[in-house]
Amino acid sequence: MVVKTYPLGMVGTNNGIAENEGDSGLEPYVGLEFDTAEEARDYYNSYATRTGFKVRTGQLYRSRTDGTVSSRRFVCSKEGFQLNSRTGCPAFIRVQRRDTGKWVLDQIQKEHNHDLGGHIEEAQTTPRPSVQQRAPAPTKLGISVPHRPKMKVVDEADKGRSCPSGVISFKRFKGAEDSDGQTQPKATEPYAGLEFNSANEACQFYQAYAEVVGFRVRIGQLFRSKVDGSITSRRFVCSKEGFQHPSRMGCGAYMRIKRQDSGGWIVDRLNKDHNHDLEPGKKNAGMKKITDDVTGGLDSVDLIELNDLSNHISSTRENTIGKEWYPVLLDYFQSKQAEDMGFFYAIELDSNGSCMSIFWADSRSRFACSQFGDAVVFDTSYRKGDYSVPFATFIGFNHHRQPVLLGGALVADESKEAFSWLFQTWLRAMSGRRPRSMVADQDLPIQQAVAQVFPGTHHRFSAWQIRSKERENLRSFPNEFKYEYEKCLYQSQTTVEFDTMWSSLVNKYGLRDNMWLREIYEKREKWVPAYLRASFFGGIHVDGTFDPFYGTSLNSLTSLREFISRYEQGLEQRREEERKEDFNSYNLQPFLQTKEPVEEQCRRLYTLTIFRIFQSELAQSYNYLGLKTYEEGAISRFLVRKCGNENEKHAVTFSASNLNASCSCQMFEYEGLLCRHILKVFNLLDIRELPSRYILHRWTKNAEFGFVRDVESGVTSPDLKALMIWSLREAASKYIEFGTSSLEKYKLAYEIMREGGKKLCWQR
């Protein structure tokens, strides 16, 4: 059935009497079909108007194959907690695009957690006048950045003249004397409801206020519209916010501005309290000069931290790497290049030619990225404690789910410039292969660098940083809350379930106004398991925890000379563990637990580690019941629930035309392995062998030859020759390793290589 709807604010009439035509008066239900997603939105708007609530456009999901939109969510306007008017309402509908091109309503939640307002005319032709709340004394400041190299700081206000347009008079802000020698009252302090013409104007205002009060400012998070990607709000924070640097102490002072429909900006959240001593008159770097490079203001340069703005202009930055490290590491790199033609290293230089950050990767790491660079961890564990050197690693996970090194780095400073250079250099070393997902810290410079260098990559926040924030902010909360908080995080199976449980949790404990809980909820797509399951994070546990590649071998006591030797030893130990698992996968045969052909198929293809995971899912599938709940054409839907547990159930959708299957648990999307629920449906449908699309090559015994599949599929690589060299070298090293263990194995290995040489027309 295709729904016919009217545009918002219009109802079909007959002789002046409103009537519902077609199906526009229907209640939404699972299976309702639309021609387009826009038609579904208009229908839900019409339904909302009759019911008494308003609608916002929620998340959209894209196909991993061609990037087209595959599903959309339309939610109650009170969903979430980003504004005081929102209550975390769980009501929504989701529509999914089918192979036919139609959009079908596949998920729905009708219950609201707030009063409904009866019939609402959603789209009024004349907007209601908005009431601007202003404090009686303060006035709106007209502040903007002039389009010239310097921002003039004028003294005319002290002479009784008004401050010129576009220029801040700091002396007037501090309290200047008028022509009669009387001190004028201090200009406005920030308050909720204060308006600005631009984000740049708000930033300059908060800078001026900070100088008077006695603290420095950094730019915090920004939030973008899910519809068009434009910036909707910004935070300006005290420079001592957070704990990522020894000088920071978790100060909670900040000002947040939100963009209005008119294009202006308004202060909607504010905290003036600091947890450290203030220094009135403290200068804020970045207020003295604004060059032509940033004449567009904040919106054009997109978050250059103001306390680093002068550094951005002069290109001089602090360096946490000791000078003695550079000659020692350069000597090490040159010696590695002599023995490894694929060894790569690069050093960042500032405008004065001084060495800054360093990156390096050997040929094995570069080759490993061609195999296992789809899910990457940027590990900055050095930030957890007092490390003597800022050593960071890029980590992937191989076909045994072991960590593999994809590059090492020393980070000169924690600026956007440093991380952007580092990510771009890593990308160049890895032949431009961008990861599908990346685990990295949530600090603003890293978020900016990831968004700039890896567009389209799902950035997940580091678990250790989230845990640290939880310990800091939940310390005083009762144990009952902490238990329910953990349950909400790790037992919610869908995003809808999480949002509902979260709303119930904050309402139960009266925490709707808790600033930290609000902020982390707004970022839920980057750390909540239910929101991460739709992205591939192969090898990374669902709670985001992982062990550092080097464990505790590199710490604050590690000297320069010890660093290189421990780096080499730790790397060789990890690679030896990988070689052992390779040997076991080829030479050990695990026992079968069933007589299913799919088990034999996967035993033949998967590594031991991956096969054991699959085997466990297959065995568990026998504890579940499957019931067909829907069928239309080639599409069927099944409800799969655990025997004896009515609460544990999932929906599986299956297409008979192409053998596509998807499950609400999203295990395949997250881990690249089929779940017990899909395996149960395959068993019911007598599918005896898994379709090839569900056997990811990266999990097979032959994963080391993954790049060959790219070439065979027509995808060329600028570094194809280097890839082939690395691959053949790895194969040859295994012949050498096993061929030198005894004289008999040496003869066998030599004979195999000699016969292979004949086929290549290569004679000794």
Side-chain angles (χ1 to χ4, degrees):
M1 172 172 50
V2 177
V3 172
K4 178 179 179 182
T5 61
Y6 293 102
L8 289 178
M10 297 178 61
V11 180
T13 61
N14 183 13
N15 298 327
I17 302 174
E19 295 178 350
N20 287 327
E21 278 192 32
D23 297 312
S24 61
L26 285 174
E27 291 273 325
Y29 61 89
V30 172
L32 195 56
E33 193 173 274
F34 306 91
D35 286 329
T36 65
E38 289 71 23
E39 186 177 284
R41 181 192 60 208
D42 292 344
Y43 162 77
Y44 196 48
N45 267 316
S46 300
Y47 166 74
T49 300
R50 297 193 309 274
T51 307
F53 66 98
K54 293 186 178 182
V55 173
R56 285 190 297 110
T57 300
Q59 291 174 293
L60 62 80
Y61 300 88
R62 294 186 180 275
S63 166
R64 293 180 179 172
T65 305
D66 56 11
T68 58
V69 177
S70 59
S71 66
R72 284 185 176 275
R73 276 168 52 97
F74 304 109
V75 303
C76 174
S77 63
K78 293 185 179 293
E79 182 263 358
F81 298 93
Q82 293 89 335
L83 296 177
N84 292 331
S85 61
R86 299 185 186 173
T87 61
C89 180
F92 80 102
I93 65 168
R94 190 182 83 165
V95 291
Q96 191 171 48
R97 193 185 69 226
R98 301 303 192 198
D99 295 338
T100 60
K102 300 290 187 181
W103 292 75
V104 176
L105 195 157
D106 68 334
Q107 290 185 13
I108 185 171
Q109 170 66 265
K110 294 184 180 180
E111 288 75 19
H112 298 258
N113 65 358
H114 56 89
D115 294 334
L116 299 178
H119 185 81
I120 298 176
E121 289 297 333
E122 180 79 8
Q124 297 173 342
T125 55
T126 305
R128 293 162 57 186
S130 59
V131 179
Q132 304 293 340
Q133 296 182 354
R134 299 173 181 268
T139 58
K140 180 180 175 182
L141 299 181
I143 309 169
S144 62
V145 179
H147 294 263
R148 52 193 175 200
K150 292 186 178 181
M151 185 180 77
K152 183 180 178 184
V153 180
V154 297
D155 296 333
E156 284 83 355
D158 296 313
K159 301 174 184 178
R161 296 198 296 267
S162 61
C163 183
S165 174
V167 181
I168 304 173
S169 172
F170 293 104
K171 291 188 177 182
R172 172 168 288 281
F173 182 86
K174 295 177 182 179
E177 293 182 356
D178 61 16
S179 57
D180 298 327
Q182 298 296 320
T183 300
Q184 298 286 351
K186 185 175 66 173
T188 183
E189 292 190 357
Y191 61 88
L194 184 59
E195 293 182 344
F196 302 94
N197 292 324
S198 68
N200 203 24
E201 178 181 302
C203 179
Q204 298 290 342
F205 164 78
Y206 198 53
Q207 284 274 15
Y209 165 73
E211 183 177 330
V212 174
V213 176
F215 65 97
R216 295 178 66 177
V217 173
R218 286 189 297 113
I219 291 183
Q221 294 171 294
L222 63 81
F223 300 91
R224 294 185 182 274
S225 166
K226 294 179 180 178
V227 178
D228 58 9
S230 61
I231 297 172
T232 57
S233 65
R234 291 184 180 272
R235 277 168 53 95
F236 308 109
V237 302
C238 174
S239 64
K240 294 186 180 293
E241 182 262 356
F243 297 91
Q244 296 84 353
H245 190 274
S247 65
R248 301 182 186 175
M249 52 187 64
C251 181
Y254 77 98
M255 180 179 82
R256 193 180 88 161
I257 56 172
K258 185 179 179 183
R259 192 184 66 208
Q260 303 292 91
D261 293 338
S262 63
W265 296 76
I266 188 171
V267 177
D268 69 331
R269 293 186 189 176
L270 180 70
N271 185 357
K272 297 182 183 180
D273 299 327
H274 297 258
N275 65 355
H276 55 90
D277 295 334
L278 301 175
E279 303 174 51
K282 187 179 184 70
K283 294 290 183 182
N284 269 288
M287 289 297 295
K288 298 182 179 180
K289 284 187 179 181
I290 296 182
T291 70
D292 291 331
D293 292 338
V294 291
T295 52
L298 290 175
D299 291 333
S300 64
V301 296
D302 197 17
L303 284 187
I304 292 177
E305 290 197 78
L306 291 187
N307 65 329
D308 289 330
L309 188 52
S310 59
N311 294 337
H312 171 74
I313 297 163
S314 64
S315 298
T316 58
R317 300 175 359 224
E318 293 184 2
N319 190 345
T320 57
I321 305 172
K323 292 182 179 179
E324 69 278 7
W325 282 78
Y326 293 100
V328 174
L329 287 176
L330 281 174
D331 184 60
Y332 167 69
F333 296 157
Q334 290 166 3
S335 65
K336 292 295 292 183
Q337 274 192 334
E339 61 187 54
D340 180 0
M341 63 176 292
F343 189 92
F344 178 100
Y345 75 90
I347 300 176
E348 180 191 18
L349 301 178
D350 66 10
S351 60
N352 300 320
S354 300
C355 296
M356 298 294 287
S357 298
I358 309 172
F359 171 82
W360 69 95
D362 64 9
S363 60
R364 184 66 187 93
S365 291
R366 299 176 74 185
F367 179 60
C369 189
S370 71
Q371 309 162 280
F372 312 116
D374 44 9
V376 175
V377 174
F378 178 56
D379 185 11
T380 54
S381 298
Y382 71 87
R383 308 171 79 204
K384 294 181 183 179
D386 185 22
Y387 280 63
S388 60
V389 59
F391 176 56
T393 52
F394 291 87
I395 304 297
F397 292 86
N398 66 16
H399 50 332
H400 309 296
R401 285 199 166 186
Q402 296 169 316
V404 291
L405 186 67
L406 305 180
L410 298 185
V411 185
D413 66 349
E414 296 181 354
S415 65
K416 176 189 175 183
E417 292 79 10
F419 291 120
S420 293
W421 175 87
L422 184 55
F423 293 160
Q424 289 166 352
T425 304
W426 179 83
L427 194 61
R428 188 168 70 252
M430 304 304 163
S431 305
R433 293 171 178 265
R434 286 184 171 85
R436 292 164 60 182
S437 57
M438 188 173 194
V439 178
D441 292 348
Q442 67 185 88
D443 303 273
L444 185 60
I446 294 181
Q447 290 192 55
Q448 291 176 308
V450 171
Q452 174 185 325
V453 182
F454 304 119
T457 296
H458 191 152
H459 177 193
R460 176 179 184 171
F461 292 156
S462 300
W464 74 265
Q465 214 176 26
I466 293 291
R467 296 292 171 270
S468 175
K469 294 284 188 180
E470 288 173 347
R471 288 192 295 270
E472 171 194 340
N473 290 280
L474 303 182
R475 186 182 299 114
S476 60
F477 284 47
N479 291 332
E480 292 79 4
F481 171 84
K482 295 176 183 177
Y483 169 78
E484 293 185 46
Y485 174 85
E486 293 286 324
K487 182 179 178 181
C488 176
L489 285 185
Y490 300 114
Q491 293 188 21
S492 53
Q493 297 298 317
T494 66
T495 57
V496 176
E497 188 177 343
F498 170 80
D499 290 339
T500 303
M501 293 175 69
W502 183 275
S503 176
S504 175
L505 181 66
V506 296
N507 288 333
K508 177 179 178 180
Y509 289 91
L511 298 172
R512 186 174 297 170
D513 295 326
N514 183 281
M515 193 63 62
W516 183 76
L517 290 176
R518 279 190 175 189
E519 289 178 358
I520 63 168
Y521 181 78
E522 290 170 359
K523 306 170 194 172
R524 58 194 182 278
E525 294 175 5
K526 294 182 180 292
W527 68 279
V528 174
Y531 279 88
L532 298 171
R533 289 193 179 98
S535 298
F536 182 76
F537 285 92
I540 303 174
H541 195 273
V542 69
D543 65 5
T545 57
F546 58 90
D547 295 326
F549 188 83
Y550 283 94
T552 58
S553 61
L554 298 176
N555 53 47
S556 60
L557 302 177
T558 304
S559 66
L560 175 56
R561 294 294 176 182
E562 288 179 329
F563 175 84
I564 294 177
S565 62
R566 291 189 184 185
Y567 171 86
E568 289 278 347
Q569 291 169 5
L571 182 57
E572 180 54 33
Q573 180 181 345
R574 290 287 193 180
R575 289 176 177 173
E576 175 62 23
E577 292 170 356
E578 181 177 0
R579 285 190 288 268
K580 288 180 179 178
E581 283 300 315
D582 282 341
F583 179 84
N584 291 338
S585 290
Y586 276 109
N587 294 280
L588 299 181
Q589 189 89 309
F591 290 107
L592 298 177
Q593 295 183 4
T594 73
K595 296 181 180 180
E596 299 291 343
V598 294
E599 187 179 14
E600 173 58 36
Q601 176 194 12
C602 292
R603 180 175 71 168
R604 186 176 67 253
L605 297 173
Y606 283 146
T607 62
L608 280 178
T609 301
I610 300 304
F611 174 71
R612 291 190 182 106
I613 297 172
F614 171 82
Q615 190 178 50
S616 174
E617 291 296 314
L618 181 62
Q620 286 292 332
S621 69
Y622 288 96
N623 296 325
Y624 285 75
L625 296 174
L627 177 65
K628 183 184 291 187
T629 59
Y630 171 85
E631 183 173 11
E632 182 176 340
I635 305 298
S636 303
R637 186 173 294 115
F638 295 82
L639 179 66
V640 181
R641 64 177 181 82
K642 190 171 185 179
C643 299
N645 187 348
E646 293 289 338
N647 295 323
E648 189 175 335
K649 54 188 176 182
H650 288 279
V652 175
T653 303
F654 175 75
S655 172
S657 60
N658 54 15
L659 300 185
N660 274 347
S662 62
C663 180
S664 59
C665 78
Q666 296 181 307
M667 179 176 172
F668 182 77
E669 288 79 359
Y670 185 84
E671 299 189 43
L673 292 168
L674 285 181
C675 63
R676 60 194 66 176
H677 316 108
I678 291 179
L679 291 174
K680 183 63 183 181
V681 171
F682 280 2
N683 181 266
L684 291 174
L685 298 175
D686 199 31
I687 296 175
R688 316 296 287 173
E689 188 171 280
L690 299 187
S692 59
R693 72 174 66 90
Y694 296 118
I695 306 287
L696 295 193
H697 189 72
R698 74 166 337 275
W699 294 133
T700 66
K701 300 173 185 178
N702 296 321
E704 59 190 14
F705 304 111
F707 79 93
V708 177
R709 294 166 61 90
D710 293 339
V711 177
E712 290 174 348
S713 62
V715 179
T716 60
S717 168
D719 290 331
L720 176 58
K721 184 175 181 179
L723 285 169
M724 291 190 293
I725 290 173
W726 299 335
S727 177
L728 290 173
R729 182 183 289 117
E730 282 298 305
S733 68
K734 292 177 182 177
Y735 275 93
I736 295 172
E737 179 183 358
F738 296 114
T740 54
S741 60
S742 68
L743 184 59
E744 290 74 17
K745 289 184 178 180
Y746 163 77
K747 292 178 180 179
L748 177 61
Y750 186 85
E751 183 63 25
I752 292 172
M753 294 178 71
R754 192 172 70 87
E755 290 300 317
K758 290 180 181 180
K759 294 181 180 180
L760 288 171
C761 299
W762 163 63
Q763 296 292 334
R764 185 173 174 80

